[in-house]
């Protein structure tokens, strides 16, 4: 495992054990000089309706920077994959939306997060979910097995983003879609500018710019890529919704 990925794993293992305050750019482990206030990450980004539909522990474990469910437009019977599922909030919400004929997978590399997510699924009584150990750069799923890929504040943490987008494309059925929340930089910010605004493990330094995201999705084979900024999390850096589609003719 590369060094940065190991730092990310350790950071989120601690978050799983100690609670959301150690998470993505919130709480004591981010430099307050550099970055954000807590309302820009985590549970407050979910609607009251979503919040009451899952166990309080799952909501409290949220370390995301948006609500990918708000744009994924999930339908009954669909199969969903959450990249970097953490404490499981988006998997549990997806499972409710797709209903008993659908299924929601979560993939995460951090054992402590998988344990937390599985405990939250048990509390929620969810039977149409599975949390798998693995990396989002090398997904433990066969080709063309899900209709929708979601993710919440994880792609920015990857040290190999082309591999993540290629893997998302591979596991989607033709005609499938990706709808993710992530931190995204304005195009004029250099990598150094981004690093000045926050740490890699805190979801800031590793963020792609809007153009880099759109180009990366196109390079992986996606069509109709779009990035919409939703709220600023640091100067020139935004929580964003990223959407694209796997063409019907793709393999
Ligand atoms: C910021 S947290 C977000 C968790 C969850 N999506 C949420 O909204 O609460 C990042 C999560 O992604 C996982 N993660 C980070 N990089 C990963 C990688 N390369 N492969 C698999 N999981 C990864 C971490 O273990 C952690 O659980």
């Amino acid at each position: 495992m590369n060094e940065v990925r190991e730092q990310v794993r350790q950071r989120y293992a601690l978050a799983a054990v100690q609670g959301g305050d150690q998470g993505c750019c919130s709480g004591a482990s981010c430099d307050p000089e550099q970055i954000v206030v807590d309302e820009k990450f985590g549970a407050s980004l979910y609607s009251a309706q979503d919040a009451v539909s899952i166990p309080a522990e799952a909501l409290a474990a949220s370390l995301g920077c948006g609500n990918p469910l708000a744009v994924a437009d999930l339908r009954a019977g669909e199969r969903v994959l959450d990249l970097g599922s953490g404490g499981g909030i988006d998997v549990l919400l997806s499972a409710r939306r797709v209903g008993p004929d659908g299924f929601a997978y979560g993939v995460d590399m951090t054992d402590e997060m998988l344990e937390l997510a599985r405990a939250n699924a048990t509390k929620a009584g969810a039977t149409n979910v599975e949390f798998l150990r693995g990396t989002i750069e090398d997904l433990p799923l066969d080709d063309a097995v899900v209709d929708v890929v979601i993710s919440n504040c994880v792609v920015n943490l990857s040290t190999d983003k082309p591999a993540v987008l290629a893997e998302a494309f591979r596991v989607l059925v033709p005609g499938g879609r990706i709808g993710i929340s992530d931190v995204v930089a304005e195009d004029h910010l250099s990598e150094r500018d981004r690093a000045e605004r926050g740490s890699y493990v805190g979801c800031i330094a590793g963020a792609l710019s809007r153009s880099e995201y759109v180009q990366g999705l196109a390079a992986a084979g996606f069509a109709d890529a779009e990035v919409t900024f939703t709220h600023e999390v640091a100067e020139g850096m935004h929580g964003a919704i990223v959407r694209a589609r796997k063409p019907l003719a793709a393999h």
Side-chain angles (χ1 to χ4, degrees):
M1 192 178 275
N2 70 46
E3 199 181 316
V4 174
R5 190 187 287 172
E6 177 54 18
Q7 286 171 12
V8 170
R9 194 197 62 72
Q10 285 181 15
R11 166 71 172 269
Y12 291 99
L14 193 65
V17 173
Q18 296 192 342
D21 282 355
Q22 296 299 312
C24 196
C25 309
S26 67
S29 53
C30 272
D31 181 346
E33 293 290 311
Q34 287 183 311
I35 186 73
V36 304
V37 293
D38 291 357
E39 311 86 69
K40 293 172 179 171
F41 293 88
S44 63
L45 298 167
Y46 290 83
S47 69
Q49 198 182 1
D50 282 339
V52 296
S53 69
I54 53 169
E57 294 88 342
L59 185 67
S62 169
L63 301 171
C65 49
N67 176 358
L69 278 288
V71 291
D73 191 24
L74 298 180
R75 296 186 278 272
E78 288 190 315
R79 295 155 296 171
V80 184
L81 166 65
D82 183 17
L83 305 176
S85 43
I89 181 168
D90 295 311
V91 171
L92 296 178
L93 288 171
S94 297
R96 290 181 63 89
R97 300 255 173 108
V98 299
D101 295 332
F103 203 86
Y105 298 96
V107 168
D108 206 288
M109 67 176 178
T110 304
D111 288 329
E112 291 83 349
M113 277 295 182
L114 290 165
E115 200 176 317
L116 177 62
R118 289 174 183 139
N120 285 333
T122 302
K123 280 182 199 124
T127 51
N128 56 342
V129 302
E130 186 175 4
F131 291 96
L132 303 166
R133 185 179 199 275
T135 66
I136 60 174
E137 295 84 358
D138 184 16
L139 290 169
L141 286 168
D142 290 338
D143 296 355
V145 291
V146 295
D147 304 292
V148 186
V149 170
I150 62 169
S151 184
N152 197 347
C153 226
V154 182
V155 176
N156 70 77
L157 293 168
S158 172
T159 53
D160 189 352
K161 293 167 179 72
V164 175
L165 299 178
E167 279 292 89
F169 189 85
R170 181 183 66 77
V171 300
L172 276 170
V173 296
R177 57 202 193 276
I178 184 165
I180 66 186
S181 297
D182 205 2
V183 173
V184 179
E186 292 174 16
D187 285 338
H188 63 90
L189 293 186
S190 66
E191 284 184 20
R192 187 172 166 181
D193 293 334
R194 298 173 218 177
E196 281 171 6
R197 284 160 173 73
S199 68
Y200 202 98
V201 298
C203 299
I204 299 295
L208 294 171
S209 71
R210 191 205 293 257
S211 297
E212 289 165 352
Y213 234 125
V214 170
Q215 285 160 15
L217 285 161
F222 285 99
D224 301 334
E226 58 179 49
V227 176
T228 308
F229 293 157
T230 54
H231 57 291
E232 193 169 56
V233 297
E235 192 194 337
M237 308 208 44
H238 303 262
I241 293 295
V242 179
R243 279 187 274 214
R245 182 177 59 76
K246 178 169 176 173
L248 262 178
H251 299 290

